[in-house]
Amino acid sequence: MQQPNWYKNSVFYEIYLRSYMDGNNDGVGDFIGLTKRLGYLKRLGVDCIWLLPIYPSPRLDDGYDIADYYSIDPDYGSLNDFKKLVKEVHKRNMRVVIDLVVNHTSDQHPWFQSARSDPNSPYYNYYVWSDSDQRYQDARIIFLDSEKSNWTWDEKTQKYYWHRFYSSQPDLNYENPAVREEMLNIIRFWLDLGIDGFRVDAVPYLFQKDGTDCENLPETHEFLKKIREFVDNNFPGRILICEANQRPKDVVKYLGREDEFHMAFHFPMMPRIFQALRSCDKTHVEETIKQTPTIPASCQWGTFLRNHDELTLEMVTNEEREWLWREYAPDPKMRLNLGIRRRLAPLLDNNQGKIELAYSLLFSLPGSPFIYYGDEIGMGDNISLPDRDGVRTPMQWDTTLNAGFTKTNQNNNPVISDPEFAPAMVNVQKNINERHSLWHKVKRLIKIRKKEPALQTNEITLLNIEDKRVLAFIRTNACERLIIIHNLSNSRIDFNFDYPAAEAKTYIDLISQIEIGMTIASVKGTLEPYQSLWLKPKKRNILGYKKLSII
Ligand code: NOJ
């Protein structure tokens, strides 16, 4: 497993354990269940799984409110089950990262319980208290739909405490060296168990300072560098992934000079992909590619289409957000905070061509792609469930009871029942059995991506094509160039553009295996609705390819 920079070209798969696979039939997904499904993930081409919080928690924010950093939520199994999972993951030459919530704890955490019961408790200064709720007024409220302030009054202490998320999630006080030390101990504990790293939650908010928006402060970066140093010194090869929903110019600072995070999620690209797919216009995707700063050699972006949260629209203008809401969330129940609480397939009208195009964009752009569980088979959502629960429903394995997720009759975790997305229509088994399913397409794109070194660099050059519906770019490595062309529209489009640097007379579309001809100076062909071409110069005469067009 000693491959330095393994994360730079890995396919990640995000798992909400509670809904993935129930191994002991109590209606809750768990480690035993997931362990049984590792073969499925390996077959899809997943390199690394990311587990949402697995710690004991009152679950007022679905586990992002931790009550004990050193153990496992008993619903998910024992520490031994977890160790077994890690071992089985590694046996398959895959890896596992887990969520680490650094910014806040649950108000049920013994530290907070002790702090609020006694101002002389050593834990009192683990949190941020104030006599007034007027401090740090420039800090925005993130959970806009449920919180009115970042301060909550505590009767017991007769003080306000600071929180950037739900009031049940008091922020830790990073001014306190004891808190910083606690966090390093927690990191050591989990890395000692053999995990491959952390997805670090909500990193921009660790410190507060009057007169600032309390995000991305220098003190925050300084502490994150300490974490990195600690990890590098004690656990080389393990990684830190940054969750900072910020503009690229701010996010890139979290990669530092290869001395903070190894990876950071590319938040701005995601809404632009949805914008492009709806407007059939590549403009904003191209702009985002241009605005994405170069990152240090050992770092990588984490790219994604959807995740366990609402599709956040913080990175677009107010008018664009209104437009995206109108287009993608016409029912107010589909909206949450500044985002849209829906899954990939329903967002894209359950149109397989469009969903495949979204994946083709994801896998052909620079960055390591993250797949959200269930989106590889086109699972639906349930907007009648509260908060973000509607995109966290049980994985649909087959058509048996509870979609094969659990065998109990007492399942409290409702499976999608909307006939269009119900297990009868959408499930793993069906996807695997049908040759042209979404699952097979995703698997194929992953396979090609892994085989093509040009797709594994961060080199990208946009091709200048006037037609806004056609997004085309070159991906390069030292030896080879691939031409990638996407049709963002539902129309058939003939394309013909200058390409003076053609290496070969014939190119092969790696997706369809069809040949396409070139002249010395241009590339010409036809794109079907939502089709992507991943064109590779044909060097040798390979028999068996169908000819599409020869100029
Ligand atoms: C970001 C996580 O993705 C989200 O699910 C959570 O609610 C907040 N951070 C607070 O921890």
Side-chain angles (χ1 to χ4, degrees):
M1 298 281 283
Q2 285 301 330
Q3 292 160 24
N5 299 356
W6 57 268
Y7 48 90
K8 283 190 67 182
N9 284 306
S10 285
V11 173
F12 288 79
Y13 185 92
E14 179 189 354
I15 295 178
Y16 176 55
L17 195 60
R18 181 162 290 267
S19 285
Y20 203 63
M21 182 66 208
D22 179 10
N24 63 353
N25 296 315
D26 61 356
V28 182
D30 48 36
F31 295 125
I32 297 180
L34 169 57
T35 308
K36 287 192 193 138
R37 297 302 187 187
L38 291 177
Y40 163 76
L41 295 172
K42 182 77 192 169
R43 205 170 151 197
L44 179 62
V46 170
D47 299 302
C48 181
I49 57 176
W50 153 30
L51 296 176
L52 266 62
I54 51 175
Y55 315 86
S57 158
R59 294 190 49 246
L60 296 177
D61 185 6
D62 230 347
Y64 283 95
D65 44 338
I66 296 176
D68 176 3
Y69 284 94
Y70 292 100
S71 53
I72 299 277
D73 183 332
D75 279 353
Y76 297 151
S78 64
L79 204 56
N80 256 341
D81 295 333
F82 177 70
K83 286 188 202 159
K84 246 187 244 160
L85 170 78
V86 175
K87 204 166 137 206
E88 289 299 318
V89 168
H90 287 163
K91 231 198 231 166
R92 289 166 177 79
N93 205 18
M94 295 196 288
R95 291 181 162 88
V96 55
V97 299
I98 65 171
D99 235 297
L100 178 70
V101 186
V102 285
N103 181 66
H104 45 266
T105 67
S106 157
D107 60 3
Q108 302 304 306
H109 194 291
W111 296 341
F112 192 72
Q113 292 293 314
S114 166
R116 70 170 9 163
S117 64
D118 176 8
N120 294 318
S121 149
Y123 296 109
Y124 182 80
N125 277 329
Y126 271 41
Y127 297 91
V128 182
W129 302 97
S130 170
D131 290 322
S132 147
D133 61 354
Q134 293 306 306
R135 291 192 76 186
Y136 313 138
Q137 283 304 300
D138 296 335
R140 69 191 164 119
I141 295 167
I142 297 167
F143 284 170
L144 273 173
D145 288 358
S146 36
E147 297 298 332
K148 297 280 162 281
S149 165
N150 287 324
W151 292 106
T152 288
W153 177 250
D154 181 52
E155 278 300 326
K156 282 196 174 166
T157 48
Q158 294 286 299
K159 301 250 187 221
Y160 292 96
Y161 63 87
W162 177 250
H163 54 87
R164 295 307 302 269
F165 296 94
Y166 288 128
S167 56
S168 51
Q169 293 165 299
D171 273 30
L172 285 163
N173 172 19
Y174 276 90
E175 298 284 355
N176 181 350
V179 169
R180 303 199 294 268
E181 202 181 314
E182 290 276 8
M183 208 38 76
L184 294 182
N185 288 337
I186 293 163
I187 289 171
R188 181 196 299 281
F189 175 81
W190 290 99
L191 292 179
D192 269 340
L193 290 177
I195 61 159
D196 299 283
F198 297 100
R199 176 267 194 191
V200 189
D201 183 67
V203 298
Y205 319 107
L206 303 189
F207 283 81
Q208 301 74 39
K209 202 193 268 169
D210 276 316
T212 73
D213 63 1
C214 300
E215 297 187 19
N216 312 319
L217 295 182
E219 293 81 352
T220 298
H221 283 286
E222 206 179 300
F223 176 59
L224 293 168
K225 285 189 168 65
K226 287 268 175 322
I227 296 189
R228 172 64 182 264
E229 198 185 335
F230 177 81
V231 171
D232 280 356
N233 288 345
N234 299 289
F235 303 95
R238 318 291 180 91
I239 64 162
L240 299 164
I241 307 170
C242 169
E243 193 242 353
N245 187 358
Q246 307 276 331
R247 289 164 303 177
K249 84 174 185 27
D250 291 317
V251 177
V252 81
K253 295 192 186 130
Y254 287 101
L255 302 171
R257 297 193 173 133
E258 306 182 308
D259 57 357
E260 276 189 39
F261 287 87
H262 301 77
M263 293 183 72
F265 286 111
H266 198 315
F267 275 95
M269 182 55 90
M270 179 271 302
R272 299 306 184 183
I273 292 179
F274 287 95
Q275 200 176 2
L277 291 174
R278 200 58 152 210
S279 59
C280 310
D281 183 338
K282 64 185 171 180
T283 309
H284 292 291
V285 170
E286 287 196 340
E287 267 168 21
T288 309
I289 292 172
K290 287 184 204 152
Q291 285 160 8
T292 299
T294 313
I295 53 175
S298 68
C299 295
Q300 185 54 295
W301 295 109
T303 49
F304 61 103
L305 296 168
R306 288 294 294 113
N307 64 19
H308 63 289
D309 287 326
E310 68 275 26
L311 189 169
T312 68
L313 299 175
E314 286 169 47
M315 294 294 117
V316 300
T317 64
N318 291 346
E319 296 81 65
E320 287 167 339
R321 185 178 312 121
E322 287 299 331
W323 183 84
L324 281 156
W325 264 335
R326 268 199 312 277
E327 292 295 325
Y328 283 114
D331 182 337
K333 280 207 294 203
M334 296 169 172
R335 302 177 189 183
L336 181 71
N337 302 318
L338 290 183
I340 300 174
R341 47 189 212 109
R342 300 183 71 194
R343 264 192 184 265
L344 181 67
L347 280 167
L348 299 183
D349 309 319
N350 202 18
N351 176 324
Q352 193 174 330
K354 230 195 244 190
I355 303 169
E356 288 179 1
L357 172 63
Y359 275 112
S360 171
L361 285 161
L362 181 74
F363 290 121
S364 61
L365 284 167
S368 288
F370 282 65
I371 300 171
Y372 183 48
Y373 87 93
D375 278 353
E376 77 278 22
I377 55 166
M379 257 172 65
D381 50 40
N382 180 353
I383 56 166
S384 69
L385 295 176
D387 203 345
R388 290 147 292 176
D389 295 2
V391 299
R392 302 177 184 180
T393 60
M395 181 71 175
Q396 294 171 195
W397 295 103
D398 53 39
T399 52
T400 61
L401 179 71
N402 299 310
F405 154 71
T406 178
K407 289 199 173 72
T408 177
N409 282 317
Q410 316 259 298
N411 181 27
N412 296 319
N413 191 354
V415 173
I416 295 290
S417 58
D418 169 357
E420 189 180 353
F421 294 101
M425 294 305 291
V426 178
N427 68 68
V428 167
Q429 202 178 55
K430 185 164 181 274
N431 260 264
I432 291 180
N433 290 345
E434 290 170 5
R435 258 184 65 215
H436 298 291
S437 69
L438 177 62
W439 188 85
H440 279 289
K441 186 62 175 275
V442 172
K443 180 171 182 272
R444 177 155 177 70
L445 293 177
I446 293 175
K447 197 168 161 203
I448 303 170
R449 187 186 155 98
K450 287 188 179 171
K451 250 175 67 189
E452 293 302 326
L455 290 173
Q456 296 167 18
T457 67
N458 280 4
E459 296 299 320
I460 179 166
T461 310
L462 292 168
L463 285 171
N464 192 7
I465 297 178
E466 233 171 77
D467 192 332
K468 297 267 180 255
R469 300 168 301 171
V470 180
L471 171 66
F473 46 81
I474 308 283
R475 298 295 313 275
T476 344
N477 77 335
C479 324
E480 196 158 72
R481 296 192 293 183
L482 298 186
I483 309 173
I484 311 284
I485 311 174
H486 301 286
N487 177 1
L488 302 175
S489 79
N490 195 15
S491 319
R492 210 163 182 244
I493 301 178
D494 292 327
F495 63 89
N496 183 359
F497 57 88
D498 291 348
Y499 188 62
E503 294 85 346
K505 275 199 177 146
T506 311
Y507 278 59
I508 292 154
D509 172 29
L510 296 171
I511 301 175
S512 62
Q513 293 291 300
I514 284 175
E515 268 186 20
I516 182 161
M518 298 263 191
T519 64
I520 297 292
S522 71
V523 46
K524 178 173 161 186
T526 301
L527 287 161
E528 296 301 324
Y530 302 124
Q531 190 186 5
S532 294
L533 297 170
W534 293 10
L535 300 176
K536 183 181 164 105
K538 184 180 167 190
K539 300 227 174 81
R540 286 167 288 122
N541 244 346
I542 306 172
L543 293 175
Y545 289 113
K546 246 203 285 170
K547 290 226 159 92
L548 180 75
S549 72
I550 301 246
I551 304 166

